[in-house]
Amino acid sequence: MTLSDTHQATTKSAGTKPSVFVDGAAGTTGLGIRERLSSQNDVVVKSIAEEKRKDASAKRALMEEVDLVILCLPDDAAKETVALIDGMGNAAPKVLDASTAFRVAGDWTYGFPELAPDQADKIRAARKVANPGCYPTGAVALLRPLVDAGLVPADYPITVNAVSGYSGGGKSMIASFEDGSAPAFELYGLGFEHKHIPEMQLYSKLSRRPLFVPSVGDYRQGMLVSVPLQLDTLPNQPSGSDLHGTLARRYAGSAYVSVMPLENPAAKTGRIEPEALNETNMLELYVFASEKHRQAVLLARLDNLGKGASGAAVQNMRLMLNLRDK
């Protein structure tokens, strides 16, 4: 019997479908998760009455009934709910947290199944999983295989540039773009304290803190994350083909991560746009390189609400419940 065949044994009611409670389903991530779950017939989604949403005893009673809780809450509220779950003993459900609160916590499993060959198995076995941030998903996917292979040193001065649609910025940012009061484009995070940096550094295995320059454009969703490299400053002075080959080997056979050919349409035009993967859980990785100038740009394209949030959460949920991938 395989792991994917044993999920009924892990449910709280033997012989039934596993049940899930999405706590905080009104935000963009929660809404995206609920929408994705509506098309999946092997999971029961339970809800709490709006007037009892902040009632700890009512929430606890519901969580005692389900197999998994997905938290789509602000960090402080997520911590409060996890404390509640921690006090439930054997009745506690598994928990998947979509906030920033636990992404670098040592007793939580990082929810990027493609991080390493055994990461998906770790997620299956975990009771607490932290869903990755959207920007780190792209950066870690690009950097971790190269650091593991020794092509990029852990102490290399990495710069990560990124642009996202405004849907990843929370209610106030969404409102400002949709009412026309926001600029067409802006850099932000220029105080050097963006909350995604610790996660980006830890799971890329970087000993030197990366320089992260995020930005937002006047479009709803879609993301590009890029890392420029001076090839002659790297050990062994790798070629673009060396970088590409390392990434291709790491993600060979992956259902959701694709390493695009060196000769691709974007390489020919010198341009790439961020919205092509919207409404999917896909992540595309590119290596653009010039042997003439000995320079390269690593690039990840994803939907910040898909593989960067809701899509990744559903992928992790299915692993945690030992359900077959969809």
Side-chain angles (χ1 to χ4, degrees):
M1 184 179 292
T2 66
L3 278 171
S4 60
D5 292 328
T6 63
H7 71 270
Q8 288 187 339
T10 70
T11 61
K12 293 193 173 181
S13 299
T16 66
K17 298 175 183 178
S19 54
V20 175
F21 167 43
V22 183
D23 190 5
T28 53
T29 298
L31 288 171
I33 291 169
R34 290 297 295 259
E35 182 178 353
R36 284 167 168 80
L37 292 181
S38 68
S39 65
Q40 301 190 12
N41 59 11
D42 52 359
V43 178
V44 176
V45 181
K46 297 192 175 185
S47 301
I48 192 167
E50 180 62 25
E51 66 272 15
K52 294 185 177 181
R53 190 169 57 87
K54 295 185 179 181
D55 182 332
S57 60
K59 183 185 287 191
R60 177 178 177 131
L62 177 58
M63 292 193 298
E64 287 178 346
E65 298 176 2
V66 301
D67 299 288
L68 176 71
V69 175
I70 304 177
L71 303 180
C72 303
L73 302 169
D75 285 11
D76 288 343
K79 291 175 182 177
E80 290 176 3
T81 302
V82 169
L84 182 62
I85 292 171
D86 286 343
M88 291 171 60
N90 293 334
K94 292 185 175 184
V95 58
L96 172 63
D97 180 45
S99 80
T100 315
F102 302 102
R103 288 181 186 159
V104 296
D107 57 341
W108 284 67
T109 299
Y110 191 54
F112 182 43
E114 298 84 2
L115 179 70
D118 62 346
Q119 193 67 17
D121 287 336
K122 290 180 178 179
I123 293 168
R124 285 189 186 95
R127 296 206 62 83
K128 294 179 178 180
V129 173
N131 210 52
C134 50
Y135 290 125
T137 295
V140 171
L142 291 167
L143 289 166
R144 176 64 177 267
L146 303 180
V147 174
D148 282 346
L151 294 178
V152 173
D155 63 351
Y156 191 79
I158 290 290
T159 296
V160 178
N161 301 298
V163 61
S164 175
Y166 59 76
S167 57
K171 291 182 179 179
S172 61
M173 179 179 285
I174 292 171
S176 68
F177 275 95
E178 292 187 345
D179 68 17
S181 62
F185 176 87
E186 64 180 354
L187 296 179
Y188 67 101
L190 295 176
F192 302 95
E193 297 294 341
H194 195 283
K195 63 183 181 179
H196 285 174
I197 295 175
E199 174 189 358
M200 199 178 290
Q201 179 177 359
L202 177 64
Y203 296 108
S204 296
K205 285 190 173 178
L206 297 173
S207 60
R208 183 192 296 262
R209 192 174 191 270
L211 178 60
F212 179 43
V213 188
S215 61
V216 60
D218 188 10
Y219 64 98
R220 180 167 175 79
Q221 64 196 85
M223 174 173 285
L224 299 174
V225 180
S226 59
V227 178
L229 295 173
Q230 299 284 352
L231 297 178
D232 286 345
T233 66
L234 295 171
N236 304 317
Q237 300 187 357
S239 66
S241 294
D242 295 329
L243 302 175
H244 181 271
T246 299
L247 293 174
R249 286 188 292 275
R250 168 62 66 89
Y251 299 111
S254 172
Y256 298 110
V257 181
S258 299
V259 180
M260 308 307 288
L262 282 170
E263 295 297 326
N264 61 75
K268 293 177 181 178
T269 63
R271 298 181 179 184
I272 191 165
E273 56 86 20
E275 299 177 272
L277 299 180
N278 284 0
E279 308 302 336
T280 78
N281 193 47
M282 301 305 297
L283 170 62
E284 291 179 346
L285 305 181
Y286 295 80
V287 175
F288 301 101
S290 168
E291 294 306 318
K292 174 184 176 182
H293 299 296
R294 297 293 296 149
Q295 294 175 320
V297 174
L298 312 175
L299 186 136
R301 174 161 63 180
L302 65 155
D303 179 0
N304 59 290
L305 298 183
K307 186 61 168 166
S310 304
V314 172
Q315 182 185 356
N316 284 319
M317 177 208 75
R318 297 190 69 81
L319 287 169
M320 294 175 76
L321 295 175
N322 290 322
L323 296 171
R324 291 183 179 89
D325 199 13
K326 284 192 174 182

Short mmCIF file of all heavy atoms in Angstrom, two decimals, residues 100-160:
data_model
loop_
_atom_site.label_atom_id
_atom_site.label_comp_id
_atom_site.label_asym_id
_atom_site.label_seq_id
_atom_site.Cartn_x
_atom_site.Cartn_y
_atom_site.Cartn_z
N THR A 100 3.48 34.49 7.53
CA THR A 100 4.94 34.53 7.65
C THR A 100 5.41 34.01 9.01
O THR A 100 6.62 33.84 9.22
CB THR A 100 5.43 35.99 7.49
OG1 THR A 100 4.78 36.59 6.39
CG2 THR A 100 6.93 36.06 7.25
N ALA A 101 4.49 33.71 9.89
CA ALA A 101 4.82 33.51 11.30
C ALA A 101 5.78 32.37 11.57
O ALA A 101 6.61 32.45 12.48
CB ALA A 101 3.53 33.30 12.10
N PHE A 102 5.72 31.28 10.80
CA PHE A 102 6.47 30.08 11.15
C PHE A 102 7.41 29.60 10.04
O PHE A 102 7.90 28.48 10.10
CB PHE A 102 5.50 28.96 11.53
CG PHE A 102 4.59 29.30 12.66
CD1 PHE A 102 3.27 29.67 12.42
CD2 PHE A 102 5.05 29.31 13.97
CE1 PHE A 102 2.42 29.99 13.47
CE2 PHE A 102 4.21 29.65 15.03
CZ PHE A 102 2.89 29.99 14.77
N ARG A 103 7.66 30.41 9.05
CA ARG A 103 8.41 29.93 7.88
C ARG A 103 9.86 29.61 8.18
O ARG A 103 10.47 28.79 7.48
CB ARG A 103 8.32 30.95 6.74
CG ARG A 103 6.93 30.97 6.11
CD ARG A 103 6.84 31.96 4.98
NE ARG A 103 5.48 32.05 4.48
CZ ARG A 103 5.01 33.08 3.80
NH1 ARG A 103 5.81 34.12 3.53
NH2 ARG A 103 3.75 33.09 3.38
N VAL A 104 10.43 30.22 9.18
CA VAL A 104 11.81 29.89 9.54
C VAL A 104 11.89 29.25 10.93
O VAL A 104 12.97 29.17 11.52
CB VAL A 104 12.72 31.14 9.47
CG1 VAL A 104 12.80 31.67 8.04
CG2 VAL A 104 12.24 32.24 10.42
N ALA A 105 10.75 28.77 11.43
CA ALA A 105 10.73 28.10 12.73
C ALA A 105 11.28 26.68 12.60
O ALA A 105 10.91 25.95 11.68
CB ALA A 105 9.31 28.05 13.28
N GLY A 106 12.14 26.31 13.53
CA GLY A 106 12.83 25.02 13.43
C GLY A 106 11.93 23.82 13.56
O GLY A 106 12.25 22.73 13.08
N ASP A 107 10.77 23.97 14.23
CA ASP A 107 9.88 22.83 14.43
C ASP A 107 8.75 22.76 13.40
O ASP A 107 7.79 22.01 13.57
CB ASP A 107 9.30 22.84 15.85
CG ASP A 107 8.56 24.13 16.16
OD1 ASP A 107 8.78 25.13 15.45
OD2 ASP A 107 7.76 24.14 17.12
N TRP A 108 8.87 23.56 12.33
CA TRP A 108 7.91 23.51 11.24
C TRP A 108 8.61 23.01 9.97
O TRP A 108 9.80 23.25 9.78
CB TRP A 108 7.32 24.90 10.98
CG TRP A 108 6.30 25.30 12.00
CD1 TRP A 108 6.51 25.55 13.32
CD2 TRP A 108 4.90 25.48 11.78
NE1 TRP A 108 5.33 25.88 13.93
CE2 TRP A 108 4.32 25.85 13.02
CE3 TRP A 108 4.08 25.39 10.66
CZ2 TRP A 108 2.96 26.11 13.17
CZ3 TRP A 108 2.72 25.66 10.81
CH2 TRP A 108 2.18 26.00 12.04
N THR A 109 7.86 22.35 9.13
CA THR A 109 8.38 21.86 7.85
C THR A 109 8.07 22.88 6.76
O THR A 109 6.94 23.39 6.68
CB THR A 109 7.75 20.50 7.49
OG1 THR A 109 8.09 19.56 8.52
CG2 THR A 109 8.27 19.99 6.15
N TYR A 110 9.05 23.18 5.94
CA TYR A 110 8.87 24.18 4.88
C TYR A 110 8.10 23.57 3.72
O TYR A 110 8.47 22.51 3.19
CB TYR A 110 10.23 24.68 4.42
CG TYR A 110 10.19 25.90 3.53
CD1 TYR A 110 9.52 27.06 3.93
CD2 TYR A 110 10.83 25.91 2.30
CE1 TYR A 110 9.50 28.18 3.13
CE2 TYR A 110 10.82 27.04 1.49
CZ TYR A 110 10.14 28.17 1.91
OH TYR A 110 10.12 29.29 1.11
N GLY A 111 7.03 24.25 3.32
CA GLY A 111 6.12 23.68 2.33
C GLY A 111 6.46 23.95 0.88
O GLY A 111 5.56 24.29 0.09
N PHE A 112 7.73 23.77 0.51
CA PHE A 112 8.10 23.81 -0.90
C PHE A 112 8.52 22.40 -1.28
O PHE A 112 9.66 22.00 -1.06
CB PHE A 112 9.24 24.82 -1.13
CG PHE A 112 9.65 24.96 -2.58
CD1 PHE A 112 8.70 25.03 -3.59
CD2 PHE A 112 10.99 25.05 -2.93
CE1 PHE A 112 9.08 25.17 -4.91
CE2 PHE A 112 11.37 25.19 -4.25
CZ PHE A 112 10.42 25.25 -5.24
N PRO A 113 7.60 21.58 -1.80
CA PRO A 113 7.89 20.16 -2.01
C PRO A 113 9.08 19.90 -2.92
O PRO A 113 9.70 18.84 -2.83
CB PRO A 113 6.59 19.64 -2.65
CG PRO A 113 5.54 20.60 -2.20
CD PRO A 113 6.22 21.93 -2.15
N GLU A 114 9.40 20.85 -3.78
CA GLU A 114 10.50 20.68 -4.73
C GLU A 114 11.84 21.14 -4.17
O GLU A 114 12.85 21.13 -4.88
CB GLU A 114 10.19 21.45 -6.02
CG GLU A 114 8.94 20.97 -6.75
CD GLU A 114 7.64 21.58 -6.24
OE1 GLU A 114 7.70 22.44 -5.32
OE2 GLU A 114 6.56 21.20 -6.75
N LEU A 115 11.88 21.54 -2.89
CA LEU A 115 13.10 22.06 -2.30
C LEU A 115 14.26 21.07 -2.38
O LEU A 115 15.40 21.45 -2.66
CB LEU A 115 12.85 22.42 -0.83
CG LEU A 115 14.03 22.97 -0.03
CD1 LEU A 115 14.38 24.38 -0.51
CD2 LEU A 115 13.71 22.99 1.46
N ALA A 116 13.99 19.82 -2.11
CA ALA A 116 15.00 18.77 -2.12
C ALA A 116 14.29 17.46 -2.46
O ALA A 116 13.06 17.36 -2.37
CB ALA A 116 15.67 18.67 -0.75
N PRO A 117 15.05 16.43 -2.86
CA PRO A 117 14.41 15.17 -3.26
C PRO A 117 13.50 14.55 -2.20
O PRO A 117 12.54 13.86 -2.55
CB PRO A 117 15.61 14.27 -3.58
CG PRO A 117 16.69 15.22 -4.00
CD PRO A 117 16.50 16.42 -3.14
N ASP A 118 13.79 14.79 -0.92
CA ASP A 118 12.98 14.18 0.14
C ASP A 118 12.00 15.15 0.79
O ASP A 118 11.34 14.80 1.77
CB ASP A 118 13.89 13.60 1.22
CG ASP A 118 14.74 14.67 1.91
OD1 ASP A 118 14.83 15.80 1.39
OD2 ASP A 118 15.33 14.36 2.97
N GLN A 119 11.85 16.37 0.23
CA GLN A 119 11.01 17.37 0.90
C GLN A 119 9.53 16.99 0.87
O GLN A 119 8.81 17.22 1.84
CB GLN A 119 11.22 18.75 0.27
CG GLN A 119 10.63 19.89 1.08
CD GLN A 119 11.34 20.10 2.41
OE1 GLN A 119 12.46 19.62 2.62
NE2 GLN A 119 10.71 20.83 3.31
N ALA A 120 9.06 16.43 -0.23
CA ALA A 120 7.65 16.04 -0.30
C ALA A 120 7.33 14.99 0.76
O ALA A 120 6.26 15.04 1.39
CB ALA A 120 7.32 15.51 -1.69
N ASP A 121 8.24 14.06 0.99
CA ASP A 121 8.02 13.05 2.03
C ASP A 121 8.00 13.68 3.42
O ASP A 121 7.24 13.26 4.30
CB ASP A 121 9.08 11.96 1.97
CG ASP A 121 8.91 11.04 0.78
OD1 ASP A 121 7.78 10.94 0.27
OD2 ASP A 121 9.91 10.44 0.34
N LYS A 122 8.84 14.69 3.63
CA LYS A 122 8.83 15.40 4.91
C LYS A 122 7.49 16.10 5.13
O LYS A 122 6.96 16.12 6.26
CB LYS A 122 9.97 16.41 4.97
CG LYS A 122 11.35 15.79 5.07
CD LYS A 122 12.43 16.87 5.12
CE LYS A 122 13.82 16.25 5.27
NZ LYS A 122 14.88 17.30 5.30
N ILE A 123 6.95 16.67 4.08
CA ILE A 123 5.65 17.35 4.19
C ILE A 123 4.54 16.33 4.48
O ILE A 123 3.66 16.58 5.30
CB ILE A 123 5.36 18.14 2.90
CG1 ILE A 123 6.37 19.30 2.77
CG2 ILE A 123 3.93 18.67 2.88
CD1 ILE A 123 6.37 19.98 1.42
N ARG A 124 4.60 15.18 3.83
CA ARG A 124 3.60 14.13 4.09
C ARG A 124 3.59 13.72 5.56
O ARG A 124 2.54 13.46 6.15
CB ARG A 124 3.89 12.90 3.24
CG ARG A 124 3.54 13.01 1.78
CD ARG A 124 3.66 11.67 1.07
NE ARG A 124 3.46 11.82 -0.35
CZ ARG A 124 4.43 11.96 -1.24
NH1 ARG A 124 5.70 11.95 -0.84
NH2 ARG A 124 4.15 12.09 -2.52
N ALA A 125 4.77 13.65 6.16
CA ALA A 125 4.90 13.17 7.53
C ALA A 125 4.69 14.26 8.57
O ALA A 125 4.56 13.96 9.76
CB ALA A 125 6.29 12.54 7.72
N ALA A 126 4.64 15.51 8.16
CA ALA A 126 4.63 16.63 9.10
C ALA A 126 3.24 16.91 9.66
O ALA A 126 2.23 16.72 8.98
CB ALA A 126 5.16 17.88 8.42
N ARG A 127 3.22 17.40 10.87
CA ARG A 127 1.96 17.88 11.45
C ARG A 127 1.84 19.40 11.33
O ARG A 127 0.74 19.95 11.45
CB ARG A 127 1.86 17.47 12.92
CG ARG A 127 1.80 15.95 13.10
CD ARG A 127 1.10 15.56 14.37
NE ARG A 127 -0.29 16.01 14.40
CZ ARG A 127 -1.30 15.35 13.84
NH1 ARG A 127 -1.08 14.23 13.18
NH2 ARG A 127 -2.53 15.84 13.93
N LYS A 128 2.96 20.08 11.11
CA LYS A 128 2.95 21.53 10.96
C LYS A 128 3.78 21.90 9.72
O LYS A 128 4.98 21.60 9.67
CB LYS A 128 3.54 22.22 12.19
CG LYS A 128 2.71 22.04 13.46
CD LYS A 128 3.40 22.75 14.62
CE LYS A 128 2.59 22.65 15.90
NZ LYS A 128 3.26 23.34 17.03
N VAL A 129 3.15 22.55 8.77
CA VAL A 129 3.82 22.94 7.54
C VAL A 129 3.60 24.43 7.30
O VAL A 129 2.47 24.94 7.42
CB VAL A 129 3.30 22.13 6.33
CG1 VAL A 129 3.90 22.65 5.02
CG2 VAL A 129 3.64 20.65 6.51
N ALA A 130 4.68 25.14 6.97
CA ALA A 130 4.60 26.56 6.64
C ALA A 130 4.60 26.72 5.13
O ALA A 130 5.55 26.31 4.46
CB ALA A 130 5.78 27.31 7.26
N ASN A 131 3.54 27.29 4.60
CA ASN A 131 3.45 27.54 3.17
C ASN A 131 4.44 28.65 2.78
O ASN A 131 4.55 29.65 3.49
CB ASN A 131 2.03 28.00 2.82
CG ASN A 131 1.61 27.60 1.42
OD1 ASN A 131 1.71 26.43 1.05
ND2 ASN A 131 1.12 28.56 0.65
N PRO A 132 5.20 28.48 1.70
CA PRO A 132 6.22 29.47 1.35
C PRO A 132 5.63 30.81 0.92
O PRO A 132 4.47 30.90 0.50
CB PRO A 132 6.95 28.83 0.16
CG PRO A 132 6.63 27.37 0.25
CD PRO A 132 5.26 27.30 0.82
N GLY A 133 6.45 31.85 1.00
CA GLY A 133 6.09 33.14 0.43
C GLY A 133 6.25 33.11 -1.08
O GLY A 133 6.96 32.27 -1.64
N CYS A 134 5.60 34.04 -1.74
CA CYS A 134 5.62 34.05 -3.21
C CYS A 134 7.02 34.38 -3.75
O CYS A 134 7.55 33.66 -4.61
CB CYS A 134 4.59 35.02 -3.75
SG CYS A 134 4.63 36.68 -3.02
N TYR A 135 7.62 35.45 -3.26
CA TYR A 135 8.96 35.80 -3.74
C TYR A 135 10.00 34.72 -3.41
O TYR A 135 10.79 34.34 -4.28
CB TYR A 135 9.41 37.14 -3.13
CG TYR A 135 8.69 38.37 -3.63
CD1 TYR A 135 8.08 39.23 -2.73
CD2 TYR A 135 8.65 38.68 -4.99
CE1 TYR A 135 7.44 40.39 -3.17
CE2 TYR A 135 8.01 39.84 -5.43
CZ TYR A 135 7.40 40.69 -4.52
OH TYR A 135 6.78 41.82 -4.95
N PRO A 136 10.03 34.21 -2.17
CA PRO A 136 11.01 33.15 -1.88
C PRO A 136 10.82 31.91 -2.72
O PRO A 136 11.79 31.21 -3.02
CB PRO A 136 10.77 32.87 -0.40
CG PRO A 136 10.25 34.14 0.15
CD PRO A 136 9.37 34.69 -0.93
N THR A 137 9.58 31.59 -3.11
CA THR A 137 9.37 30.42 -3.96
C THR A 137 10.22 30.51 -5.22
O THR A 137 10.91 29.56 -5.60
CB THR A 137 7.88 30.28 -4.33
OG1 THR A 137 7.13 30.01 -3.14
CG2 THR A 137 7.66 29.15 -5.32
N GLY A 138 10.20 31.67 -5.87
CA GLY A 138 11.01 31.83 -7.08
C GLY A 138 12.49 31.87 -6.79
O GLY A 138 13.29 31.21 -7.47
N ALA A 139 12.89 32.62 -5.76
CA ALA A 139 14.31 32.78 -5.47
C ALA A 139 14.93 31.47 -5.01
O ALA A 139 16.02 31.08 -5.45
CB ALA A 139 14.51 33.86 -4.40
N VAL A 140 14.26 30.78 -4.09
CA VAL A 140 14.80 29.51 -3.57
C VAL A 140 14.87 28.46 -4.67
O VAL A 140 15.84 27.71 -4.76
CB VAL A 140 13.94 29.02 -2.39
CG1 VAL A 140 14.34 27.61 -1.98
CG2 VAL A 140 14.07 29.98 -1.21
N ALA A 141 13.85 28.41 -5.52
CA ALA A 141 13.86 27.45 -6.62
C ALA A 141 15.07 27.65 -7.53
O ALA A 141 15.66 26.68 -8.02
CB ALA A 141 12.57 27.56 -7.42
N LEU A 142 15.45 28.89 -7.74
CA LEU A 142 16.60 29.20 -8.60
C LEU A 142 17.93 28.94 -7.89
O LEU A 142 18.86 28.38 -8.49
CB LEU A 142 16.56 30.66 -9.03
CG LEU A 142 15.44 31.07 -10.00
CD1 LEU A 142 15.35 32.58 -10.08
CD2 LEU A 142 15.68 30.47 -11.39
N LEU A 143 18.03 29.34 -6.63
CA LEU A 143 19.33 29.37 -5.97
C LEU A 143 19.71 28.07 -5.27
O LEU A 143 20.89 27.69 -5.27
CB LEU A 143 19.35 30.52 -4.95
CG LEU A 143 19.39 31.93 -5.57
CD1 LEU A 143 19.07 32.97 -4.52
CD2 LEU A 143 20.75 32.19 -6.21
N ARG A 144 18.77 27.41 -4.63
CA ARG A 144 19.11 26.26 -3.81
C ARG A 144 19.87 25.17 -4.59
O ARG A 144 20.91 24.67 -4.10
CB ARG A 144 17.85 25.69 -3.17
CG ARG A 144 18.05 24.42 -2.35
CD ARG A 144 18.95 24.63 -1.12
NE ARG A 144 19.03 23.39 -0.36
CZ ARG A 144 18.24 23.09 0.66
NH1 ARG A 144 17.29 23.94 1.07
NH2 ARG A 144 18.37 21.94 1.29
N PRO A 145 19.42 24.78 -5.80
CA PRO A 145 20.18 23.75 -6.51
C PRO A 145 21.61 24.19 -6.85
O PRO A 145 22.53 23.37 -6.85
CB PRO A 145 19.37 23.52 -7.79
CG PRO A 145 17.99 23.97 -7.44
CD PRO A 145 18.19 25.14 -6.53
N LEU A 146 21.80 25.47 -7.12
CA LEU A 146 23.12 25.97 -7.50
C LEU A 146 24.04 26.05 -6.29
O LEU A 146 25.25 25.79 -6.40
CB LEU A 146 23.00 27.33 -8.18
CG LEU A 146 22.09 27.37 -9.41
CD1 LEU A 146 22.05 28.78 -10.01
CD2 LEU A 146 22.56 26.36 -10.47
N VAL A 147 23.48 26.39 -5.13
CA VAL A 147 24.28 26.39 -3.90
C VAL A 147 24.62 24.96 -3.51
O VAL A 147 25.76 24.64 -3.15
CB VAL A 147 23.53 27.12 -2.77
CG1 VAL A 147 24.28 26.99 -1.45
CG2 VAL A 147 23.34 28.60 -3.11
N ASP A 148 23.64 24.06 -3.60
CA ASP A 148 23.89 22.65 -3.28
C ASP A 148 24.99 22.07 -4.16
O ASP A 148 25.80 21.24 -3.70
CB ASP A 148 22.61 21.82 -3.45
CG ASP A 148 21.63 21.99 -2.30
OD1 ASP A 148 22.04 22.52 -1.25
OD2 ASP A 148 20.47 21.58 -2.46
N ALA A 149 25.02 22.49 -5.43
CA ALA A 149 26.00 21.96 -6.38
C ALA A 149 27.36 22.65 -6.29
O ALA A 149 28.31 22.24 -6.96
CB ALA A 149 25.46 22.07 -7.80
N GLY A 150 27.46 23.71 -5.50
CA GLY A 150 28.72 24.43 -5.37
C GLY A 150 28.98 25.42 -6.48
O GLY A 150 30.07 26.01 -6.54
N LEU A 151 28.00 25.64 -7.36
CA LEU A 151 28.20 26.61 -8.44
C LEU A 151 28.06 28.05 -7.96
O LEU A 151 28.67 28.97 -8.51
CB LEU A 151 27.20 26.35 -9.57
CG LEU A 151 27.38 25.03 -10.33
CD1 LEU A 151 26.30 24.88 -11.40
CD2 LEU A 151 28.76 24.96 -10.98
N VAL A 152 27.25 28.24 -6.93
CA VAL A 152 27.11 29.55 -6.29
C VAL A 152 27.51 29.37 -4.82
O VAL A 152 26.89 28.58 -4.10
CB VAL A 152 25.67 30.08 -6.38
CG1 VAL A 152 25.51 31.36 -5.55
CG2 VAL A 152 25.30 30.36 -7.84
N PRO A 153 28.54 30.07 -4.35
CA PRO A 153 28.95 29.93 -2.94
C PRO A 153 27.89 30.46 -1.99
O PRO A 153 27.14 31.38 -2.33
CB PRO A 153 30.22 30.79 -2.86
CG PRO A 153 30.65 31.03 -4.27
CD PRO A 153 29.42 30.98 -5.10
N ALA A 154 27.83 29.88 -0.81
CA ALA A 154 26.85 30.31 0.18
C ALA A 154 27.03 31.77 0.57
O ALA A 154 26.07 32.45 0.95
CB ALA A 154 26.92 29.42 1.41
N ASP A 155 28.27 32.28 0.49
CA ASP A 155 28.52 33.66 0.90
C ASP A 155 28.56 34.62 -0.29
O ASP A 155 29.02 35.76 -0.17
CB ASP A 155 29.81 33.76 1.69
CG ASP A 155 31.05 33.36 0.87
OD1 ASP A 155 30.89 32.84 -0.26
OD2 ASP A 155 32.17 33.56 1.37
N TYR A 156 28.08 34.17 -1.45
CA TYR A 156 28.09 35.04 -2.63
C TYR A 156 27.12 36.21 -2.42
O TYR A 156 26.04 36.03 -1.86
CB TYR A 156 27.66 34.24 -3.86
CG TYR A 156 27.89 34.96 -5.17
CD1 TYR A 156 29.16 35.01 -5.75
CD2 TYR A 156 26.84 35.59 -5.83
CE1 TYR A 156 29.36 35.66 -6.96
CE2 TYR A 156 27.04 36.25 -7.03
CZ TYR A 156 28.31 36.29 -7.59
OH TYR A 156 28.53 36.95 -8.78
N PRO A 157 27.49 37.43 -2.84
CA PRO A 157 26.60 38.58 -2.67
C PRO A 157 25.45 38.55 -3.68
O PRO A 157 25.54 39.10 -4.78
CB PRO A 157 27.53 39.78 -2.91
CG PRO A 157 28.63 39.25 -3.77
CD PRO A 157 28.82 37.81 -3.37
N ILE A 158 24.37 37.89 -3.30
CA ILE A 158 23.22 37.68 -4.19
C ILE A 158 22.31 38.90 -4.16
O ILE A 158 22.00 39.46 -3.09
CB ILE A 158 22.43 36.43 -3.75
CG1 ILE A 158 23.22 35.16 -4.06
CG2 ILE A 158 21.05 36.39 -4.40
CD1 ILE A 158 23.35 34.84 -5.53
N THR A 159 21.84 39.29 -5.33
CA THR A 159 20.77 40.28 -5.46
C THR A 159 19.56 39.61 -6.10
O THR A 159 19.70 38.91 -7.11
CB THR A 159 21.21 41.47 -6.32
OG1 THR A 159 22.28 42.17 -5.68
CG2 THR A 159 20.06 42.45 -6.54
N VAL A 160 18.41 39.80 -5.49
CA VAL A 160 17.15 39.26 -6.03
C VAL A 160 16.25 40.44 -6.37
O VAL A 160 15.89 41.25 -5.51
CB VAL A 160 16.45 38.35 -5.00
CG1 VAL A 160 15.12 37.84 -5.58
CG2 VAL A 160 17.34 37.18 -4.61
#
